Amino acid sequence: MKTDEHEKHAVSFGRERALKYDSQVRLSIEGYEAMLQVASEVLVAALSGQKAASLLMVGIGTGSEVKPFARHAGFDFHFTGVDPSSEMLAIAREKLAAAGLLERTSLHACELRDLPRGPSFDGAQMIGVLHHLQDDDARIALLREIAGRLVPGAPFVIGCRTGNEPLLRAVEEQRLVRNGSPPEAMEHRRNAMASMRVPASEAEVFALLAQAGFAAPRFIFGELHFRVWVTRYEPSTIGA
């Protein structure tokens, strides 16, 4: 989910770009499928064998994050996916229907703050969203919005870009060039990356999570600039 500034970014996901999103993200993150598999395995394991659970998927995009749950989560796992791009959600509906998961997934084209309140969720996941927000106030606001919708102790898997190492950035660009990205696309990407205020370090992300009431995160996946952690919502730690 995004602030007003990020809504501008989300609006750019028209049908054509949404159709290309999955292939592009697989070029940007080697092992993308493995990352989503690990994230889902960890989230299910963190629920300590629960046979039924309600999971909040923030920035669900094309629905790729939900598909791995079909391999090991019970039929009584239900998902609420939120994303401001209706074009991305249109693809998610097609993909989840084909995987037999659509009937267990509720999709909402809105910001998380605009999602109607209901029973608290048993867990949450947000991958590839935090680094798009432009300042810490927006990031803390989003993390607190997520926290406020979880039961105490609920696991939360979060993944985002951290740092801006020239060597790692060069590897990312080489991948895209090898796979046929034209010069104008590469220039557009460089400009887009330059406009983003990516968290400088893991410590910066951890500090934001702590302010929203999440416990110390544990690392579960990493690839170049991208990191994924699991934490828990512990409201008693706020201000501790």
Side-chain angles (χ1 to χ4, degrees), residues 159-232:
C160 71
R161 292 180 67 90
T162 60
N164 187 26
E165 293 291 334
L167 176 61
L168 303 186
R169 192 171 65 245
V171 173
E172 293 172 341
E173 292 190 358
Q174 288 169 8
R175 289 175 180 170
L176 296 172
V177 170
R178 283 199 307 269
N179 286 275
S181 291
E184 59 271 21
M186 296 303 300
E187 184 63 23
H188 176 78
R189 182 182 189 275
R190 292 187 192 104
N191 292 337
M193 295 299 295
S195 70
M196 293 168 56
R197 187 203 170 275
V198 174
S201 65
E202 291 188 350
E204 186 173 312
V205 176
F206 294 177
L208 296 172
L209 286 166
Q211 291 183 65
F214 290 100
R218 285 168 288 172
F219 173 80
I220 62 173
F221 184 92
E223 202 276 335
L224 297 181
H225 283 116
F226 210 90
R227 297 287 184 272
V228 185
W229 308 271
V230 62
T231 179
R232 287 188 181 275

